[in-house]
Amino acid sequence: MKIGFSRISFWGCVAAIIWTLGIYATVVRFFYGLGAATHLSDSVPWGLWIGLDILVGVGLAAGGFFITAMVYLFNLKEYQPIVRPAILTSFLGYGLVIITLLFDLGKPYHIWRPIVMWNHHSVMFEVGWCVLLYTLVLFFEFSPMALERLGLKKPLSLMTRSIPFLVMSGVLLSTLHQSSLGSLYLLVPDKMHPLWYSPLLPFLFFSSAVAAGLAMVIFESYLSSRAFGRALEFSLLVRLSRILVPVVLLYGIIRFKDLAGRGVLGAAFSGSQESLLFMAEVLFGLVLPIIVFSIPAWRNQRAGLFLGAVLVLLGFILNRLNVSITALVGSADVEYTPSWMEWAITASMAAAGVAVFRLAVKHLPVFTHQDTQAKQVNPPLLEPGQAGAGVMAGLGGLLFLLLMALLFGLNRKQAAAKSLDGEAKPLSASAVLRLPAAIVFEPDEASPGRVTFHHQTHVDPTRPGCVSCHATTFRIRPIKSGQAGTVKMDSLYAGKQCGICHNGEQAFRADEECENCHSGR
Amino acid sequence: MKSAILTDLTRCTGCEACVMACREINGLPRTSENHRLNAHTWTAIEHHQGIPIRRHCMQCEQPSCVAACPVGALTKTSEGAVIYDAGRCMGCRYCMIACPFSIPKYEWQARIPRVQKCSFCYDSALKKGHEPACTAACPSGATIYGEREALIKEAQQRIATHPQRYIPTLYGLTEAGGASVLYLSAMPFEKLGFPATIQHKPYPDLTWQELSRIPTMVSAGAAFLFSAWWIINRRIKMANESERSSDQTA
Ligand code: SF4
Ligand code: SF4
């Protein structure tokens, strides 16, 4: 493994910057609370961490259960070389998901609560349990790499023998929680945009996670083959892409059948912010990858395969962000742009994932099969002489820019258009408030004249603060039933009744300007 | 007895006495925000179409929030209140997402935050059979407390006797599968800040359909996986053996 010094220090620097920001954000998050570190609010209780770290993270880690099932249950031994990297990715992925969850939970030290406090009616409860158990399964699936390294033969053979059962439970648990992450949103049919709410969410989440998991295996095998100068199991990855394409197609067909069946396909072309983000999701996750994978000249070379996988991943990320953020902020009529600290934590987690993966590859037997195969060190990104390769690289860059522009630019709502609906129109005073009729206080013999109280002159009809008088100083029911007692000037002078305000501060003094009230009318 | 609150929006003057009473009894800080729900305002007077609208937790009969909570921190009591136990809560905020009325609010600024919402004065009143603070404070009788069945009758009678005063909807009768808070109004509710669309069956059914399938799915899945693995494994073994025996004969 030969990595240039300059390359290490460049990526090292990037990681150092990200982690510095991440540590700062961590301190703010845990000492000053979620409100200080994030842009979350009562209208947007779930943001970037749930959308990107949890929903995307869990989906990307789906490669593990799929590949292990192919190899250990269905005996497709040719995929053996990518089993270990896939398990490692999944294990790291779930580890990072759990760590990010600690940031997102209001009370991270209660994360274990679902283990003892059960609510089997809760999808969240089920997801929690499945993620916990599956992380354990992954730990055991991963352990042979460490045991092999440590030379512990006994436990190693025990692990090897129990692998089929681990894999079976892994498949079951993954199927459950990958789909249940979608079921979480089944509870909110009214708050979610119809382009994303669907009774089929569990299936859609599951199938897209399988696609993303496979794409992730291609993506990461490709990158690590370059980074570690390893022979790329290229024919294997091509074969994997042949599984990926039907999965993506199936997902796409069901997705559109569902939209059409619910009659909301029109909303996809309405030109609204949601429709644009939907189209971006479909373009990246469905249309472009299928084009890339269906052209043999592209699919059968490294750059094409890589681009296809990246597109599937981008489409997947967009989909999960759309489900968790776009689809919900619309109905809440708010904006949400993650704070830089939210980004810093997310980036720190991703950087940590890459770093730990590198360490593991360096020190553990992850890529065991490379040694027996012919070495092909550092394959060039573009195979010379292949037409269209350069074009595709350019296209890839362009797409990425476009995606970023969509994500950030469109996030700003057309505030002006929105602000009028839902807002209260200015009140038109009397018609609205039904203020009580005038109240007449008949004079006794010492009084300079009759007093008539008008609510109109005492209440700001746009902000009626009735409680400043009612239920405390002047009780309404006794007044209505004529048992209110009387208003005495002495008590006014003592700062009671009308005198609370008529003291020269809030209103004119009660012992001056008698005729203001005693108008005799 | 199933308690309930009936709020007749045509009688509400927007005086905010309920808001103040709620603050007082629940020891909430006297912030100036009376017009929008937040962690310190459990009932608010919103203004829509120039009409004051009292909002608070609907105390659903089969609450979405209760079904959502992974640790059972939210429960529906037999008296009708939906109450929250901060000691159980882990702060996942799924209840906030799940509530169709977007009622639960969060203490975003706190280091150890809680979910906050109207609890029907469960501890201070309802448990002892008393009336909650807000209805007791209402000077105009716009929001009243009583037995749910009786209040439904009362409301339906009001609609029947004043058909020109009310729209013929008793909100909360079937909304979200029924709620312990009922509303009468002169205007369609979706114009008054209530959700634009609302299901008329209990929300938890939506996820229970999935969850209740899990045992079957798991056993069927396990059976399928195990038999597939067993069959494939056996065939490999047999193939190996026949290979070996043919080796030996050769
Ligand atoms: S209104 Fe919302 S918070 Fe209140 S009981 Fe219903 S679902 Fe729960
Ligand atoms: S935030 Fe607390 S009360 Fe709400 S669902 Fe999560 S654990 Fe339950």
Side-chain angles (χ1 to χ4, degrees), chain B residues 47-77:
Chain B
H47 289 270
H48 297 276
Q49 317 288 335
I51 301 174
I53 312 289
R54 167 158 125 90
R55 299 299 302 273
H56 56 109
C57 172
M58 296 288 291
Q59 318 289 349
C60 307
E61 297 285 279
Q62 292 184 54
S64 188
C65 59
V66 169
C69 180
V71 292
L74 291 153
T75 36
K76 173 94 178 165
T77 73

Side-chain angles (χ1 to χ4, degrees), chain A residues 31 35 41-42 45-46 75 104 106-107 109-110 113 119 121-122 126 184 188 190-191 424 427 432 434 466-467 476, chain B residues 10 12 15 17 47 50 66-69 86-87 89-94 96-97 99 102 106 108 111 139 197 203 236:
Chain A
F31 283 88
S41 67
D42 283 336
W46 284 357
N75 206 45
D104 192 76
K107 295 184 182 176
Y109 53 93
H110 278 179
R113 284 281 165 102
N119 176 11
H121 284 271
S122 164
E126 185 234 315
L184 281 178
V188 287
D190 309 299
K191 290 162 113 184
L427 298 174
V432 166
R434 298 184 302 280
C466 313
V467 270
I476 293 179
Chain B
T10 69
C12 174
C15 76
H47 289 270
V66 169
C69 180
C89 173
M90 60 195 263
C92 68
R93 310 186 294 284
Y94 186 30
M96 302 177 67
I97 298 277
C99 171
S102 304
Y106 209 53
W108 293 103
R111 193 183 303 176
T197 56
Y203 280 81
I236 295 169

